[in-house]
Every structure is written in structure tokens, then in C-alpha cells.
């Protein structure tokens, strides 16, 4: 199997033949600036124009090869241009690309059976699915389901959460019935703290106590008639916070949240858009915490690079929804469905869950060893291939090292390693490589990472 993983990527990577951005990249970046909005951010962070990509590697137009630890923001779990996925898309291309998005096809049914078969045990065989396009559109559908089914107007969401940026286009749509179904006019979010063990918002002495204090606070908000919080229909959460900083909650936190939700008749929405589809070594991150959500959002990696998203939810909730509950021209794109079946088959047949666990353990241990050696690494956390390395100015003060993270990201890029940041302060380096990365490329990346952390630390020490 290792040979197959080797063959998926460009063996040349990492190889920098001209310091990026090279001349061809610069020219394309210049043209882009004249054609697109100046508000773009990624071309400023990773200054190159992409030529092609394979497995866990990318080639730029100047002939530089990079090891990719970004994976299109946790999308390419089975790697860039996975041949198995590309074949499935090609076969679908020969049949049809788009028609009315709800009309079934064999490919659609095959995908849905596949998807149902990997749902968390508590939902498997007891779920319905709504199809959509982007992560945010799935989240909007999930919130609408919860509000519609619970008939309660308030949603609780966590600090550090990222669920997307759609703005309720339905408000501008004239059909009153559709506004009503989507529940958007009344959107009302109450923000609650997330148990962030390294920076607990409560004065806790350890992660478990942090989780316990946050749960007590949520319980208080829900049970005190004077808390000012209205009728809560759902709590939406990321089982491991993504954009917020790859934050793993304390072990029993989600179980406690499940208990509170059950006690108060509240639905739990797990947003698995970033953490799902094998990234953490299980199909879904919630499985690590032994809970079943009532509603779950799925996108990113499931489409192998084709935009597609889903909401899976308890089938008894379906009876509460009306026809035309969720609309959109491009839901369940046939290319995405074909890709999705292939993604699931590939993860299964190549045992990628096991690979993400074992290589993920190895990788987190390497980062933890580095944490012992370097003052700028304050915390390392994660599960599987979802690992956050939090940079600080000093371990003692924990002052966030946002500038350090930006500088490190730039230096890694110039050495041929693509790694992005996240976190409340933008100071967390996140490891989200494709699960098919070869051991050789993983080690090459870890070496570059340590070398650059070492030289940055030295420079900072020297002032
Ligand atoms: C957990 C989570 N939910 C929702 C989204 C939004 O997805 P999209 O960007 O496809 O709208 C993201 C995107 O990063 C995400 O990480």
C-alpha cells in the first residue's frame, strides 16, 4: 500500500528551483489583481500560481514542487487528483452533468447508500439526508431543520466557531413561505464559551475542570429564568474546533453537552464539515467522544474537491418538515455524488482511517517533542490528521505569537512546505495534510518544520 501512496504524489516534492513567487507566478498574480477584487487573502499568503497537483503535493507554474499540508482546507483527504476519484468523475461526465437536482439516478442512490453506511452508529439506519452545495448552505439547512422541528427560535453557538458566511439570501426572496421554512428572519444566536484547554475562559486548573465549568455555565443559562436567554432549539458545535484553532474539547465535555441538551429538549447539531470524512481517524470526530448528534453537517472532503454538502439528521425530525424545505439549483451535483462514492470507497479500501490514526499519532508526537525543545511552541493538540501547534511569544505568559506564525508560514512556503494558520489570534499552525501523504513527504515536511522553528527561535532569542 505504501507504494501506492508514494505513486499518488510528485516524488520531486519538496523542490524549490526558483524562489517563490517565481516570474510566471508573479505575472499571473499581477493579472489576477487587475481582474478580481483586491479583498482576496490567500494569494497574499501563498504567493504562487498553481499548475497542477497530485496526492499531497503541488506544482507551481515556475516548476517548484511543494508538500501540501493544507489539502484545500481539509478537502482533499484522499489527495489531489486521486485516480480512483477522477475516474468516477470521468464516467459521470460521460453520462450527464446536471439536470433537476432532486431527480434520482443510480449514481445518486449509490452515493446515498454509501453515505448512510458511514454515519455515526447512533444515526446509521435512522437518518434522513438533505443535499446542498457548500458547507455554509448545509449549516443554514441544519439550523433551519432544528428551528423548524423544535419550534424554538434561539440557537446556541460557541466562541471560536466557524460555520460559514452565507447571509440568508432568502430574506431578499419574495416568497413568504420560503422565508418561513428557512427560519432565517428570526435567527437569534446566543454565544457560549468553548472549553479551550490551553486558554480556558474559566479559571479552571485542568482541562476536565474547564469542560465542567463551561457545562455548568450553559446549564445555568438554560435553567435560570432570569438569564435573558430565550427558548433554545439547538446547540451547534464543532467536535474539534477548526478555524478557531484546532481545539480538542476535554474528554467528557460533549457527553455532558449531550446530557444538558436532552434534559432541556434541545437538538445537537454537529458541524463535521472540517473534521469529518476520516480526517481524525474515524469517519466523524463525534465518534471519538461517544455521542450521537441529532443533526450533522457534512461537506469539504466528501466531494473529493467537487463542491457538495449534506445534512444528515434523525429521521423522526423529517416528519416535522414541509415539502420544498430546502431548495437550490445545484444541490447534489452528479459529479460530486460520483466523486463522493469514490472517496468513501477509497478511504475504506485503503484503510485510511487506520492510517490517519497511526500516522497522526506519529506526527503529533513529533510536534510534542519539538514543543519540549522550543520556547515558541506553547501547545500541541489534535486527533488524527487534525493537529494544531499553537505558537506563543513565551511559554510562561502564553502571549499569542501571531507574527511568529505568519513568519513561519512564509518561511515554510519558501522551503516548499504549505502549511496554514488558524486560531483566535491567528497563531496556530495547523496540520491538515491529505491522508494519503507518503511517509517520505511527511518526514520531509516535519524536518523542514523543525528546522524553521529552530532558526526562528534562535533569532527571537537573540532579539
Ligand atoms: C466547520 C466548518 N463549517 C462550515 C464551513 C463553511 O464551509 P464553506 O466554506 O464550504 O461554506 C467551514 C469552512 O471552513 C468549516 O470549517
Amino acid at each position: 500500500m505504501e507504494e501506492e501512496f508514494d505513486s499518488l504524489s510528485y516524488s520531486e516534492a519538496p523542490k524549490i528551483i526558483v524562489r517563490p513567487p517565481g516570474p510566471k507566478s508573479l505575472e499571473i498574480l499581477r493579472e489576477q489583481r487587475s481582474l478580481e477584487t483586491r479583498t482576496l487573502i490567500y494569494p497574499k499568503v501563498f504567493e504562487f500560481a498553481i499548475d497542477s497537483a497530485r496526492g499531497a503535493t503541488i506544482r507551481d507554474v515556475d516548476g517548484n514542487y511543494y508538500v501540501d499540508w493544507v489539502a484545500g482546507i481539509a478537502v482533499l483527504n484522499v489527495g489531489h487528483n486521486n485516480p480512483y476519484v477522477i475516474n468516477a468523475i470521468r464516467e459521470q461526465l460521460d453520462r450527464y452533468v446536471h439536470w433537476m437536482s432532486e431527480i434520482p439516478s443510480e449514481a445518486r442512490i449509490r452515493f446515498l447508500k454509501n453515505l448512510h453506511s458511514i454515519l455515526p452508529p447512533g444515526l446509521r439506519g435512522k437518518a434522513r439526508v438533505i443535499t446542498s452545495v457548500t458547507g455554509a448552505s448545509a449549516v443554514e439547512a441544519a439550523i433551519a431543520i432544528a428551528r423548524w422541528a423544535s419550534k424554538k427560535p434561539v440557537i446556541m453557538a460557541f466562541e471560536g466557531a466557524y460555520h460559514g458566511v452565507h447571509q440568508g439570501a432568502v430574506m431578499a426572496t419574495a416568497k413568504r413561505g420560503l422565508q418561513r421554512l428557512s427560519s432565517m428572519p428570526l435567527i437569534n444566536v446566543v454565544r457560549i464559551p468553548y472549553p479551550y484547554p490551553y486558554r480556558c475562559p474559566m479559571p479552571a486548573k485542568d482541562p476536565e475542570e474547564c469542560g465542567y465549568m463551561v457545562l455548568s455555565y450553559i446549564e445555568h443559562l438554560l435553567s435560570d429564568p432570569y438569564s435573558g436567554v430565550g427558548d433554545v432549539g439547538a446547540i451547534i458545535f464543532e467536535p474539534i474546533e477548526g478555524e478557531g484553532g484546532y481545539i480538542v474539547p476535554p474528554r467528557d465535555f460533549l457527553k455532558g453537552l449531550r446530557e444538558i441538551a436532552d434534559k432541556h429538549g434541545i437538538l445537537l447539531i454537529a458541524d463535521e464539515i472540517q473534521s469529518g470524512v476520516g480526517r481524525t481517524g474515524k469517519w466523524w470526530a463525534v465518534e471519538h467522544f461517544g455521542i450521537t448528534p441529532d443533526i450533522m453537517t457534512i461537506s469539504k472532503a466528501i466531494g473529493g474537491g467537487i463542491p457538495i454538502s449534506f445534512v444528515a439528521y434523525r429521521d423522526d425530525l423529517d416528519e416535522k418538515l414541509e415539502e420544498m424545505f430546502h431548495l437550490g439549483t445545484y444541490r447534489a451535483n452528479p459529479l460530486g455524488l460520483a466523486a463522493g462514492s469514490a472517496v468513501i470507497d477509497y478511504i475504506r479500501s485503503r484503510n485510511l482511517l487506520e492510517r490517519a490514526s497511526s500516522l497522526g499519532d506519529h506526527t503529533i508526537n513529533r510536534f510534542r517533542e519539538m514543543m519540549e525543545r522550543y520556547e515558541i511552541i506553547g501547545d500541541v493538540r489534535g486527533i488524527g490528521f487534525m493537529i494544531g501547534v499553537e505558537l506563543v511569544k513565551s511559554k510562561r505568559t502564553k502571549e499569542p505569537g501571531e507574527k511568529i506564525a505568519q513568519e513561519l508560514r512564509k518561511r515554510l512556503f519558501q522551503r516548499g512546505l504549505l502549511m496554514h494558520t488558524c486560531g483566535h489570534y491567528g497563531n496556530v499552525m495547523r496540520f491538515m495534510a491529505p491522508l494519503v501523504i507518503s511517509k517520505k513527504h511527511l518526514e520531509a515536511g516535519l524536518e523542514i518544520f523543525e528546522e524553521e522553528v529552530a532558526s526562528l527561535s534562535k533569532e527571537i532569542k537573540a532579539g
Side-chain angles (χ1 to χ4, degrees), residues 41-222:
I41 149 111
Y42 291 151
K44 293 178 193 130
V45 172
F46 298 108
E47 274 193 286
F48 72 105
I50 190 164
D51 173 67
S52 51
R54 296 283 180 278
T57 53
I58 290 181
R59 189 185 132 97
D60 76 12
V61 290
D62 295 286
N64 292 319
Y65 289 88
Y66 304 86
V67 169
D68 180 14
W69 280 4
V70 178
I73 316 277
V75 168
L76 299 148
N77 289 9
V78 299
H80 292 272
N81 284 46
N82 181 297
Y84 193 76
V85 176
I86 295 296
N87 262 343
I89 295 171
R90 271 206 191 104
E91 275 175 27
Q92 183 58 39
L93 265 176
D94 283 342
R95 286 169 197 266
Y96 79 106
V97 174
H98 173 74
W99 198 58
M100 298 282 280
S101 73
E102 295 177 359
I103 300 297
S105 64
E106 284 170 358
R108 185 179 181 113
I109 300 304
R110 193 179 327 121
F111 171 79
L112 288 169
K113 282 186 174 162
N114 246 334
L115 180 64
H116 276 272
S117 76
I118 61 166
L119 289 178
L123 277 178
R124 206 175 299 155
K126 298 175 211 133
R128 295 278 165 168
V129 166
I130 273 180
T131 65
S132 205
V133 186
T134 63
S137 68
V139 169
E140 291 206 346
I143 291 174
I145 293 168
R147 287 161 53 97
W148 192 256
S150 69
K151 301 275 182 279
K152 294 192 255 181
V154 180
I155 299 292
M156 279 183 159
F158 284 96
E159 288 173 8
Y162 186 89
H163 299 295
V165 295
H166 288 198
Q167 286 177 15
V170 72
M171 286 301 290
T173 291
K175 191 166 176 172
R176 215 176 287 142
L178 293 181
Q179 290 187 350
R180 198 172 51 92
L181 285 178
S182 79
S183 295
M184 280 306 155
L186 292 168
I187 197 82
N188 178 353
V189 171
V190 169
R191 191 68 51 190
I192 45 180
Y194 194 83
Y196 181 173
Y198 186 62
R199 298 183 189 278
C200 185
M202 313 283 190
K205 41 180 199 315
D206 57 43
E208 293 311 318
E209 192 182 42
C210 179
Y212 177 74
M213 283 177 153
V214 169
L215 288 172
S216 314
Y217 179 63
I218 297 171
E219 171 61 36
H220 151 77
L221 290 180
L222 292 168

Side-chain angles (χ1 to χ4, degrees), residues 142-152 181 183 233 265 267 295 313-314 316-321 325:
I143 291 174
I145 293 168
R147 287 161 53 97
W148 192 256
S150 69
K151 301 275 182 279
K152 294 192 255 181
L181 285 178
S183 295
L267 296 166
I295 302 172
Y313 53 98
R314 272 176 24 209
D316 59 294
L317 302 178
D318 204 48
E319 287 151 26
K320 306 193 173 153
L321 310 182
F325 185 77

